[in-house]
Amino acid sequence: MPMYRRHIPSRCPVPRIVFFVAMTCEWLAAAPYVPQPNNRVVINLGDTPWKFIKQDVSGAHIPSYNDAAWREVGVPHCYNSLDTYQNIESGIQITYQGTVWYRKHFKIPQTLSGRKIFLHFEQVSVACALYVNGMFVPGNTKVPQPDRVTHVGGYIPFVVDISTYVVFGDTNNVLALRVANLGYWNSGYWYTPTLGEMYWVGGQYGGILAPVRLVITDPVHIPLNVYSVVERWGTYGAVVNATDASATIRVQTNVYNDSEQLQQITLRTEVVDASGTVVLTIISSGIAQAQTKILFDQQGSILNPKLWYPNYSPHGTPYLYTIYSTVLRDGTQPVDVFQTPLGIRTITWDQNFPYINGRKHLMRGAAKRYDYPGFGSGLPEELRWKDIRLLAES
């Protein structure tokens, strides 16, 4: 097994990381790959109802606020779901534009105390202010706003670290979310209230339009690949070059040590094909001081790769590998497992055509707005995938 030593740039907390690279041929695989048991806990907060009111109310961020009279809704939820398609005899009918509130009550077991607690919002439109147990959670938006705002951008996911805001055990946590698709956040900045632009604004649906998840990790962990609001990213898998004979893969992985102690960290990166065969293993080690991170930069080759091509390409299919990144403390104790999809392909273009893996392709594009009667833009996952499948088949 060859061993490589690589100098680490000054931004990393240790001067040197040792890399061990092992190639695994398909004929050596005895059984499909089974990842390490994951210490990460992911809870879909849409599995149980949220409280909702279609107006801006005072004091809704306070945990003791009485929301008993609010509607119960499921998430994803669009608060234009009932007025998306209204028959109006005359004039221009736009959907509801304004500010609303959502509230969610949840508990976190005492056994999870001491771990990192993140909230992952896939889509909240158009802007929102988040409160956890009455405390405002600030964001990193540079958009000037006249009032508190955690995140702006209805098509951009965001993650917030609420580890210091929550309580554990039998006490309820209260999440309160103030959401607006037009109103005090957007006045005079996003839209000019002319007739034409108000008609366009009618398409800006508001609400929690995609799943919300509670993600609980060890203090030593790989972040989600969502930069806003925590300004962190986890993994980046790239194809340096690829042919039918071989492919060179480069994987960058951020491992954060959010504990108060120095940690000996080992990262085992495994590329697994669709049949469950490990085709590449790279093992790296380093030391992270308290409240720092290590950026592991790993590279290796895969023989006879299955190359990725677009749907209905005459040359192949959209074949995916999976990168499993396993973080071990002290070299033996697994504390986090992170998955990243990987399509092995190169994409180039000239003034006329795109080339996938060096082969010319004729491509057509499509756009889709998610607006359905009864759903608005708050679609269940099954309906989103149905639309994607129909686009791919056309």
Side-chain angles (χ1 to χ4, degrees):
M1 178 182 300
M3 182 174 70
Y4 303 94
R5 294 185 181 272
R6 177 180 180 275
H7 178 68
I8 298 304
S10 59
R11 68 178 181 270
C12 296
V14 293
R16 184 167 297 182
I17 296 178
V18 180
F19 293 83
F20 300 92
V21 182
M23 309 302 173
T24 305
C25 299
E26 291 189 12
W27 56 269
L28 291 176
Y33 175 78
V34 178
Q36 287 273 4
N38 201 350
N39 202 22
R40 178 178 297 230
V41 178
V42 180
I43 301 171
N44 186 351
L45 291 182
D47 285 344
T48 53
W50 291 55
K51 290 287 190 172
F52 168 73
I53 188 167
K54 198 173 183 177
Q55 64 186 76
D56 195 7
V57 295
S58 178
H61 67 288
I62 300 172
S64 59
Y65 180 92
N66 185 2
D67 58 17
W70 292 18
R71 283 177 50 203
E72 285 194 344
V73 298
V75 167
H77 177 261
C78 175
Y79 58 77
N80 306 112
S81 59
L82 300 181
D83 56 20
T84 303
Y85 295 97
Q86 288 186 349
N87 295 319
I88 303 299
E89 294 181 0
S90 62
I92 296 177
Q93 172 64 22
I94 63 173
T95 55
Y96 174 80
Q97 306 298 314
T99 304
V100 305
W101 282 88
Y102 294 88
R103 281 167 59 93
K104 177 71 176 179
H105 302 254
F106 63 96
K107 295 179 180 179
I108 304 177
Q110 187 65 44
T111 54
L112 297 176
S113 177
R115 307 190 67 192
K116 297 293 291 184
I117 314 294
F118 299 96
L119 273 173
H120 177 202
F121 293 85
E122 288 192 11
Q123 186 181 1
V124 178
S125 186
V126 171
C128 66
L130 172 66
Y131 299 83
V132 177
N133 294 329
M135 295 174 284
F136 172 68
V137 182
N140 63 342
T141 178
K142 301 302 187 291
V143 176
Q145 303 293 337
D147 207 339
R148 286 179 165 179
V149 61
T150 302
H151 182 74
V152 177
Y155 299 101
I156 304 172
F158 66 100
V159 170
V160 291
D161 183 350
I162 61 170
S163 304
T164 59
Y165 297 86
V166 298
V167 295
F168 298 87
D170 293 331
T171 303
N172 259 325
N173 292 279
V174 180
L175 184 161
L177 195 67
R178 190 184 191 200
V179 181
N181 61 347
L182 185 68
Y184 74 96
W185 278 306
N186 304 334
S187 298
Y189 190 83
W190 289 95
Y191 307 106
T192 302
T194 62
L195 183 63
E197 293 202 9
M198 284 299 287
Y199 182 75
W200 159 248
V201 171
Q204 286 291 321
Y205 299 119
I208 306 175
L209 304 183
V212 180
R213 296 182 176 90
L214 198 65
V215 181
I216 303 171
T217 72
D218 191 88
V220 178
H221 66 280
I222 298 172
L224 294 170
N225 285 318
V226 179
Y227 189 75
S228 181
V229 201
V230 291
E231 297 182 340
R232 295 180 174 186
W233 57 272
T235 61
Y236 179 73
V239 178
V240 178
N241 54 66
T243 67
D244 292 327
S246 68
T248 302
I249 309 301
R250 182 181 179 186
V251 182
Q252 292 184 322
T253 308
N254 275 312
V255 179
Y256 276 78
N257 173 22
D258 285 335
S259 75
E260 300 301 327
Q261 294 83 35
L262 176 149
Q263 300 286 349
Q264 174 72 43
I265 296 173
T266 297
L267 175 68
R268 185 174 68 238
T269 300
E270 295 162 294
V271 180
V272 180
D273 69 14
S275 69
T277 300
V278 179
V279 297
L280 175 65
T281 299
I282 310 173
I283 300 175
S284 310
S285 295
I287 296 174
Q289 302 293 330
Q291 302 296 323
T292 62
K293 70 169 184 176
I294 298 179
L295 173 60
F296 292 97
D297 196 339
Q298 303 169 312
Q299 187 165 298
S301 296
I302 297 173
L303 298 178
N304 304 312
K306 181 79 170 179
L307 299 183
W308 182 98
Y309 287 93
N311 267 301
Y312 301 101
S313 166
H315 304 289
T317 63
Y319 186 93
L320 285 180
Y321 292 77
T322 301
I323 302 172
Y324 287 90
S325 306
T326 303
V327 179
L328 301 102
R329 185 189 292 125
D330 299 326
T332 58
Q333 181 186 359
V335 293
D336 198 20
V337 181
F338 195 86
Q339 297 182 36
T340 308
L342 174 69
I344 298 180
R345 75 279 181 100
T346 60
I347 301 176
T348 57
W349 58 90
D350 59 21
Q351 61 183 357
N352 296 313
F353 300 105
Y355 297 83
I356 314 297
N357 303 318
R359 296 179 170 94
K360 182 176 73 176
H361 281 71
L362 304 178
M363 303 186 72
R364 295 179 175 89
K368 177 70 177 73
R369 288 199 70 118
Y370 294 112
D371 47 356
Y372 285 85
F375 288 114
S377 291
L379 303 186
E381 293 287 286
E382 293 83 356
L383 195 50
R384 290 180 184 267
W385 280 110
K386 177 185 176 182
D387 284 348
I388 292 172
R389 176 177 58 81
L390 291 173
L391 285 173
E393 289 177 353
S394 65

